[in-house]
Amino acid sequence: MTDPQERFDHLVARLRERDHRLTPQRIALVRLLAESQEHPSAAHLYSQLKEQFPTTSQATVYKTLALLKEMGEVLELGFSDDDNRYDGNKPYPHPHLVCVCCRRIMDPEVALLKTLEREVAELSGYQIVGHRLDLYGICPDCQRE
Ligand SMILES: [Zn+2]
Ligand SMILES: [Zn+2]
């Protein structure tokens, strides 16, 4: 797992490099992204940010997410039946574990994926540049209910 503080410092440095205006709202949003393990939606980030900065606009959240995505620093997960979710810790393709009850999204530890990629590349002749793997299930908390 990425160290949230390191990730936060990295994201702030990258944004500064691009000479982007770093308002306190933006910095707080970057911190939420760096610290969250839950793959929040934009709406969720917005409501969290609003607690600290009541005047924050939704546009701030969407613009910052779009910029970080363009810079390859955030992974966007689109779902046909749910809001897009964001991973600010691991901005590269990796498998996700989605709870069908509470929509919690985790990063499971999967060791075989590199082998799978290599095998598919060898068999198909493709150069693999990414993947999307979602595993659906019922999380332990939801199972208890
Ligand atoms: Zn659940
Ligand atoms: Zn993830």
Side-chain angles (χ1 to χ4, degrees), residues 33 41 57 66 85 87 121 125 133:
L33 274 169
S41 64
S57 72
R85 306 277 290 261
D87 190 328
L133 176 61

Side-chain angles (χ1 to χ4, degrees), residues 78-83 103 136:
F79 294 94
S80 57
D81 57 347
D82 202 1
D83 290 343
R103 305 302 295 188
Y136 292 90

Side-chain angles (χ1 to χ4, degrees), residues 35-94:
E35 284 175 355
S36 177
Q37 304 297 324
E38 290 155 20
H39 306 78
S41 64
H44 184 73
L45 287 165
Y46 175 58
S47 72
Q48 277 184 295
L49 200 58
K50 242 181 129 76
E51 283 171 22
Q52 301 172 57
F53 299 96
T55 59
T56 306
S57 72
Q58 226 164 329
T60 305
V61 175
Y62 282 101
K63 272 193 225 155
T64 308
L65 285 172
L67 178 65
L68 287 170
K69 193 184 141 193
E70 181 207 313
M71 291 163 72
E73 292 293 353
V74 77
L75 182 73
E76 184 178 54
L77 296 171
F79 294 94
S80 57
D81 57 347
D82 202 1
D83 290 343
N84 287 358
R85 306 277 290 261
Y86 296 90
D87 190 328
N89 291 294
K90 294 176 168 181
Y92 45 85
H94 59 274

Side-chain angles (χ1 to χ4, degrees), residues 88-104:
N89 291 294
K90 294 176 168 181
Y92 45 85
H94 59 274
H96 285 102
L97 191 51
V98 182
C99 176
V100 295
C101 297
C102 67
R103 305 302 295 188
R104 175 201 303 223

